[in-house]
Amino acid sequence: MKEITITTPSKNYPVYVGEHAVSQLSSVLESLTPKPKNLLIITDENAGELYLKTIKNEIGDSFPCEVFQMKAGDDQKSFENYYACQSFALEKGLDRTSVILALGGGMIGDISGFVAGTYMRGIRFIQIPTTILAHDSAVGGKTGINHPEGKNMIGVFHQPEAVIYSIEFLSSLPKNEVLSGFAEVIKHSLIADQSFYQYLRENIKSLNDLKGEYLLHSLTKGIEIKNEVVTQDEREKGIRAFLNFGHTLGHAIEGELQYKGITHGEAVAHGMLFALSLKKVTVQLGKELKSWLQELGYAPIPDGLSVHSLINRMKKDKKAAAGTIQMVLLEDIGHPYLASYQAEELEDRLAVFLSEN
Ligand SMILES: NC(=O)c1ccc[n+]([C@@H]2O[C@H](COP(=O)([O-])OP(=O)(O)OC[C@H]3O[C@@H](n4cnc5c(N)ncnc54)[C@H](O)[C@@H]3O)[C@@H](O)[C@H]2O)c1
């Protein structure tokens, strides 16, 4: 098992990652000061069904423990569930010493962190990620929920006390969720580390390779890269925006498809290819990445998406400024930068990109 320390201006905390990292849970809880009056596990039906029992066994009789389980799916990262969690926490008598445990993927991590960050003006929480994608979402302190007008529009920065990443939990993930999470690993390599990208290219030829040492290295390296960025820019005033590589179009695709039939990471994979297609210096890299993604089993962009609607969504992105669209591009692997485009110009480029899909 590896331990990585996340360092941010507001807080430092450990990430335990490896087989059976969950065995760290009781000692992490015991080490908290003040001692938690009680715990609230927030989970969804899939992660809950599979791993709630394990978590409860780890906690044992040490702390009273309540469970709030919601349906699965990104549409559950909603005001309704946020409100229901807050009401449940009040009913069950959580106080300012209580601790929330987020058991699940990024959806659960985001909403649980937002509940924790706002309940009684902020209580502590621990991330227990169960997806590959959550190597990204569980670290860095961005929490929140979706609004019908856009994804992740409402939220707070709130760092967890610890992240406990037990990688045997990942073995039950369906293929599309493996594709989703691995796209974010690839993103981390592309924005930060040429040799990590080469490592992935050489060792991960199919999704079956993503286990054991290769899986552990993919996750730890991804977390370390995210840590480096977050350490320098906790509140996204500058370089943290590079983590959005692939996300401007990715979020628009997810929105157009109403978050159905495509995972977050699969949409981001298309977004990365589009970003690479925009500059001559990265066109070749984009072509190579595209054929590797196809070998791994990533599907083409679904047919029938409207270029105009995608562009309109990209204009509404949180990072967009009046009429322009901000994109993260690469000069080369490990050298990201921000570029602003007029919507009309990008519309033409996107039409070409989609026609070649
Ligand atoms: N906060 C951040 O910095 C950040 C960064 C990236 C993404 N995100 C957010 O993360 C979310 C996506 O995260 P995700 O991809 O983990 O989605 P998710 O949490 O919705 O999980 C995907 C699916 O896998 C199921 N699942 C979870 N663990 C499982 C397991 N071990 N075995 C079988 N099934 C399992 C879930 O029930 C769900 O159906 C989005 O809401 C995105 O906005 C946040």
Side-chain angles (χ1 to χ4, degrees), residues 42-45 68-85 102 104-115 127 131 133-134 136-138 141-156 184 226 247 251 254 258-260 263-265 318-319:
I42 300 180
T43 190
D44 71 15
E45 54 197 353
F68 186 97
Q69 186 167 304
M70 60 185 79
K71 288 186 188 160
D74 216 68
D75 57 351
Q76 300 301 305
K77 226 170 83 176
S78 62
F79 269 115
E80 289 75 13
N81 270 331
Y82 169 73
Y83 184 74
C85 286
M107 185 281 278
I108 285 295
D110 278 10
I111 189 167
S112 307
F114 185 43
V115 172
Q127 294 268 20
T131 62
L133 186 130
D136 182 11
S137 59
K142 273 194 188 177
T143 74
I145 55 174
N146 300 329
H147 186 280
E149 286 294 315
K151 221 171 125 59
N152 301 327
M153 285 293 169
I154 320 289
V156 290
E184 293 279 8
K226 178 129 189 201
H247 283 61
H251 280 160
E254 283 185 283
Q258 290 166 357
Y259 305 101
K260 303 238 166 14
T263 59
H264 176 68
K318 285 198 287 304
K319 290 99 197 166

Side-chain angles (χ1 to χ4, degrees), residues 15-303:
V15 179
Y16 301 103
V17 49
E19 297 278 344
H20 308 295
V22 68
S23 62
Q24 297 297 312
L25 179 58
S26 51
S27 56
V28 167
L29 289 170
E30 292 297 342
S31 71
L32 293 175
T33 322
K35 188 175 178 220
K37 175 192 167 202
N38 53 6
L39 309 175
L40 169 59
I41 303 174
I42 300 180
T43 190
D44 71 15
E45 54 197 353
N46 296 328
E49 178 74 25
L50 289 159
Y51 304 115
L52 189 54
K53 217 165 143 199
T54 311
I55 300 303
K56 283 187 149 184
N57 282 343
E58 286 298 328
I59 297 167
D61 296 330
S62 313
F63 299 93
C65 183
E66 306 291 344
V67 178
F68 186 97
Q69 186 167 304
M70 60 185 79
K71 288 186 188 160
D74 216 68
D75 57 351
Q76 300 301 305
K77 226 170 83 176
S78 62
F79 269 115
E80 289 75 13
N81 270 331
Y82 169 73
Y83 184 74
C85 286
Q86 297 283 8
S87 304
F88 187 81
L90 287 166
E91 270 164 36
K92 298 296 177 189
L94 267 75
D95 68 13
R96 299 191 74 182
T97 71
S98 302
V99 172
I100 289 177
L101 307 184
L103 173 65
M107 185 281 278
I108 285 295
D110 278 10
I111 189 167
S112 307
F114 185 43
V115 172
T118 47
Y119 184 76
M120 296 190 174
R121 299 204 180 83
I123 63 171
R124 296 167 295 177
F125 82 118
I126 293 172
Q127 294 268 20
I128 309 176
T130 63
T131 62
I132 295 174
L133 186 130
H135 83 278
D136 182 11
S137 59
V139 171
K142 273 194 188 177
T143 74
I145 55 174
N146 300 329
H147 186 280
E149 286 294 315
K151 221 171 125 59
N152 301 327
M153 285 293 169
I154 320 289
V156 290
F157 285 94
H158 188 52
Q159 302 287 351
E161 297 303 302
V163 180
I164 297 176
Y165 206 169
S166 222
I167 66 172
E168 74 283 5
F169 289 179
L170 305 176
S171 61
S172 52
L173 284 171
K175 180 185 166 198
N176 63 338
E177 298 302 341
V178 175
L179 290 171
S180 182
F182 191 56
E184 293 279 8
V185 174
I186 296 173
K187 176 202 78 179
H188 282 129
S189 72
L190 283 170
I191 61 167
D193 192 329
Q194 165 91 42
S195 63
F196 180 37
Y197 181 73
Q198 285 314 328
Y199 171 93
L200 295 173
R201 285 286 327 246
E202 279 158 27
N203 294 299
I204 313 297
K205 306 254 185 235
S206 97
L207 291 191
N208 291 332
D209 297 329
L210 203 54
K211 54 189 175 212
E213 266 309 300
Y214 294 140
L215 176 59
L216 183 60
H217 187 66
S218 298
L219 298 174
T220 47
K221 195 75 196 150
I223 291 168
E224 281 163 2
I225 290 170
K226 178 129 189 201
N227 185 28
E228 274 166 36
V229 175
V230 172
T231 302
Q232 293 174 57
D233 182 20
E234 184 181 15
R235 293 191 168 243
E236 198 165 319
K237 304 269 188 250
I239 64 160
R240 189 167 178 162
F242 297 154
L243 294 170
N244 296 315
F245 180 52
H247 283 61
T248 315
L249 177 60
H251 280 160
I253 293 173
E254 283 185 283
E256 277 301 284
L257 296 171
Q258 290 166 357
Y259 305 101
K260 303 238 166 14
I262 192 163
T263 59
H264 176 68
E266 288 171 299
V268 167
H270 295 304
M272 293 193 289
L273 291 177
F274 178 52
L276 294 175
S277 77
L278 289 173
K279 290 286 169 191
K280 262 197 192 128
V281 281
T282 50
V283 165
Q284 186 54 29
L285 175 62
K287 284 184 181 158
E288 285 164 21
L289 177 62
K290 186 174 178 181
S291 66
W292 180 38
L293 292 176
Q294 281 168 350
E295 275 168 45
L296 291 171
Y298 289 81
I301 301 186
D303 288 334

Side-chain angles (χ1 to χ4, degrees), residues 300-352:
I301 301 186
D303 288 334
L305 287 173
S306 146
V307 175
H308 192 63
S309 307
L310 286 170
I311 290 289
N312 274 340
R313 284 187 185 268
M314 290 163 84
K315 278 202 267 188
K316 283 191 197 157
D317 191 271
K318 285 198 287 304
K319 290 99 197 166
T324 64
I325 296 172
Q326 208 177 47
M327 300 277 297
V328 182
L329 304 182
L330 300 185
E331 270 165 37
D332 193 3
I333 298 175
H335 299 282
Y337 66 99
L338 289 175
S340 274
Y341 282 89
Q342 292 301 321
E344 300 71 36
E345 183 188 357
L346 215 56
E347 193 158 339
D348 294 342
R349 304 296 298 268
L350 185 56
V352 173

